[in-house]
Amino acid sequence: MLSVARVFLVFVALPLATVVVAAPASGRTVSLGRSWRGRPIAAVEVGNRSGRRVLVVGCIHGNEPGGIPIARALERVSPHDLDLWIVPDLNPDGVAADTRQNAHGVDLNRNFPRHWRPMVGVYASGPHPLSERRRGSPMH
């Protein structure tokens, strides 16, 4: 069975390496807003602004922060054909509390509008789709 790291390496990192310039990127940081507890949420844009737009989120579940260092590493690349938007941590309150959910107890993966349905418990979807959006947040 392939590990998550190996799957990432084979299907994401190696193909991305073929379109990356060796020089460090100078990205643009964009504030996306703040979490419910007031922690900043930001994106870094690197690459070619006229390239294909790609979004990478390093962490959406606070107790699964392994993608944050990978997202931070991607901030230093400069893809030729991609407009790469990187959000290292979409759930800083969950990371601080080491919980899957955000500060309202909502699993942000279950809060997107596509195929939304009410769920409770560890996978709580929130009272309605996009209920967790905040002014200036990625889903606003």
Side-chain angles (χ1 to χ4, degrees), residues 1-43:
M1 181 171 188
L2 290 176
S3 70
V4 173
R6 182 168 290 177
V7 169
F8 177 82
L9 179 66
V10 171
F11 293 105
V12 178
L14 292 178
L16 184 61
T18 65
V19 295
V20 172
V21 173
S26 60
R28 154 176 102 100
T29 300
V30 178
S31 173
L32 300 177
R34 294 193 169 269
S35 69
W36 289 110
R37 300 254 189 248
R39 294 178 173 93
I41 301 171

Side-chain angles (χ1 to χ4, degrees), residues 33-77:
R34 294 193 169 269
S35 69
W36 289 110
R37 300 254 189 248
R39 294 178 173 93
I41 301 171
V44 176
E45 180 187 25
V46 296
N48 179 353
R49 285 192 178 179
S50 29
R52 182 175 185 189
R53 188 171 291 164
V54 174
L55 172 65
V56 174
V57 177
C59 179
I60 197 164
H61 295 139
N63 62 347
E64 299 172 359
I68 293 173
I70 294 167
R72 294 280 183 219
L74 287 173
E75 292 174 1
R76 295 186 299 274
V77 303

Side-chain angles (χ1 to χ4, degrees), residues 34-36 41 90-91 93 101-112 116 124-140:
R34 294 193 169 269
S35 69
W36 289 110
I41 301 171
L90 191 60
N91 183 7
D93 295 339
Q101 304 84 6
N102 70 356
H104 282 159
V106 173
D107 180 341
L108 298 178
N109 270 349
R110 306 302 189 271
N111 195 242
F112 291 105
W116 182 91
S125 58
H128 56 82
L130 299 179
S131 63
E132 301 310 294
R133 66 183 178 177
R134 292 290 302 239
R135 180 171 150 73
S137 76
M139 296 187 289
H140 190 248

